[in-house]
Structure formats: structure tokens, C-alpha cells
Amino acid sequence: MSRSRRALLVANVAAGQGDKAVLAARVTRELTGLGFAVELAPTAGPGDATRLAREGAAGGCEVVFALGGDGTLRETAAGLAGSSVPLGPLPGGTTNVLVRALGLPPDPLAAARVLAPLAPRPLAAGFAADQLFLMQLSGGLDAHVLANLTTRWKRRFGKAYIATASLGRFWSYDYPTFQAETDSGEILPGSLIVVANIPLYGGPFRMAPRARTDRPGFEVVAFSGRGRAATLGFAFDLVRGRHLERPDVTVRSVGTLRLTGASRIPLQLDGDVFPQALPIAIRPLDVPLLVLAPVERGA
């Protein structure tokens, strides 16, 4: 009889919609049936996932699963940075962009079944100042929208509320310009700048198609258009997958970079408001994280 593998399930029971406590219990039973000796660890507030993951790694867990939104996965990964314990990402939030980018099913029970037999592989990630991120750091309209969302309504109405709120902020934003200074010395101006670890952005949209989850470094997408008409055109082209053909869009592959500009530029990190002001230095992790996820295509 094979030995059960010790695992921790960090669960944000407030993320997304529906009864997350019931879902966490179901996922725990599923993982148990897949050969894990699982301890369920619900989070109670910001920072809990990082602490719980760090304690689990230090206490002998062989994998730390995270059930929640992209923010929960990021916090859990921060607790595993520098360890040899892999992250097991399970979708339990509103958009679940990282899980989608890793090629996992949107249902957490199905995702658990995919993850269970996999060997750990590297997961590229970055630091913005001293904050780890798994997907992207960006500044501009998207961060302005996030900063003005009501958490309670986001949990209750999900993507529909986010879309409606975005329309209102689209009209009120003044589209200030800031800069990405790359490690080659190039300066890329933009009213929206996305520093990406993964191809996807906001769900299914391939903002940075050349980005890979298994390769250190970043794709920088700088949109230099200003105003509502240019931004609407950019958004339409992003949906069509044609945004990189625009003359007001520049894309670069970089190892490190700095974002500079006015301190009032709004920023977001992995779908959460990032309160730090510019300038910000961005660099890859010295040692990649480990993740349970399918090997990326083309690897």
C-alpha cells in the first residue's frame, strides 16, 4: 500500500462566489481519495496564506495546495519561496487567471485530479520591490478600476460587477503617462504598462503571448495611447488578439526593469491593488518556485 503524502490545503473561503467552506471540504475529501493526508487550513485575513504555507513547508508537508483566487495563490506562493515544497494551485476565485494559464481545468475537483500525479516543475515569478507576483504587475486604467471596486459587490456579483464598474472608470480616468526602463537602457512610455510572467490577462485575453510560466524574465507590453478613444480601440484589439499590431503598442522581453513616473500612477499586482508608489524595481526570483502543473507546451 502506497504512503499518503502529507499536504496542506490553504483555502480562502471568502474568495469568489458560493459556499466556499463547503467547497473546501469537498476538495479536502477529493485530495484524500487521491492519496494525500490533507490538513485543511482556512485563511482568516490578508497574509494568512503566506504564514500557513511557510509553516506547512517547515513542518514537513510535501505539497501545499491553495484553493482561492489569484491573490490567495500569490500569497501562498510567497510562503513557499526558497523552499523545495511545490504549490498546488486550485481555482476558487472569480477569474482564476493563473490556473487557466497553467492549463488546469476551471473546476477545483477536476484540477485536483490533474495535479495529483504530476511531478513538480519550475514556476517563474517576480519581485516588485519586495512583493512576489506570479502573473503580472501593471499600471494604468486596470489598476484604477481595481482601486475603486467594492469587495462585497465583487464577491456577490463577480465578473458582471467588474465589467460594469470598468465602464464607469473608463470615462473618469485621465490616462497619465509613465515609463518602463528596461535592462538594456530603453525607455518605454505608456498610459498602460503590463509586466507579465504569463500570457493571459484579465481572464482569457492573451496580453503577452510570448510570456512563459517556466522561464525567468518578463514580457513588457506598453500602450502609449491616451484618452478614451485610443483605449477603447486597444481593448477591442486585445479581445481580437490584434493589439500587438498597433503602432501605439511596444513589446519587449526583459530580465529586469524599473517602472518610473508620478507617484499617483495606480498599480495592480496579480489582480489586487498594489499600494506602493513609483519608482519600482522588478526582478525575477533568484530560485524559481516549484508548482504542480502540466509542462508548458513547446517546452
Side-chain angles (χ1 to χ4, degrees), residues 16-29:
Q17 298 168 278
D19 192 333
K20 297 302 176 181
V22 171
L23 177 60
R26 292 177 62 201
V27 171
T28 300
R29 290 193 296 271

Side-chain angles (χ1 to χ4, degrees), residues 141 145 161-172 175 228 232:
L141 177 61
V145 169
Y161 166 65
I162 295 172
T164 303
S166 299
L167 289 175
R169 296 299 164 184
F170 169 81
W171 288 102
S172 64
Y175 303 93
R228 291 187 288 271
L232 187 61

Side-chain angles (χ1 to χ4, degrees), residues 75-230:
E75 283 198 11
T76 304
L80 298 176
S83 80
S84 60
V85 178
L87 170 71
L90 299 170
T94 303
T95 52
N96 303 307
V97 182
L98 180 63
V99 165
R100 184 192 294 255
L102 291 172
L104 295 170
D107 175 74
L109 300 180
R113 291 190 287 271
V114 171
L115 295 183
L118 297 180
R121 72 162 176 86
L123 175 65
F127 275 114
D130 62 347
Q131 293 296 309
L132 179 140
F133 65 99
L134 302 179
M135 302 191 308
Q136 75 271 139
L137 172 74
S138 67
L141 177 61
D142 57 354
H144 176 68
V145 169
L146 282 172
N148 289 278
L149 291 178
T150 301
T151 302
R152 177 170 58 87
W153 290 5
K154 179 183 176 184
R155 288 175 181 166
R156 183 173 181 182
F157 298 110
K159 296 177 184 178
Y161 166 65
I162 295 172
T164 303
S166 299
L167 289 175
R169 296 299 164 184
F170 169 81
W171 288 102
S172 64
Y173 192 58
D174 61 356
Y175 303 93
T177 297
F178 60 114
Q179 301 81 35
E181 300 177 357
T182 74
D183 48 5
S184 68
E186 188 176 11
I187 297 178
L188 309 176
S191 61
L192 173 70
I193 298 177
V194 180
V195 182
N197 279 335
I198 68 173
L200 301 183
Y201 170 92
F205 309 115
R206 296 183 65 81
M207 173 70 78
R210 293 182 299 192
R212 294 182 60 93
T213 65
D214 59 355
R215 182 180 63 204
F218 312 99
E219 292 294 305
V220 180
V221 180
F223 165 61
S224 61
R226 295 193 63 186
R228 291 187 288 271

Side-chain angles (χ1 to χ4, degrees), residues 9 17 29 49 52 88-89 93 136 152 163 169 193 240 244 252 258 266 290 299:
L9 174 59
Q17 298 168 278
R29 290 193 296 271
L52 291 166
Q136 75 271 139
R152 177 170 58 87
R169 296 299 164 184
I193 298 177
R240 297 191 305 153
L244 300 186
R252 294 290 185 269
R258 278 168 44 92
L290 294 177

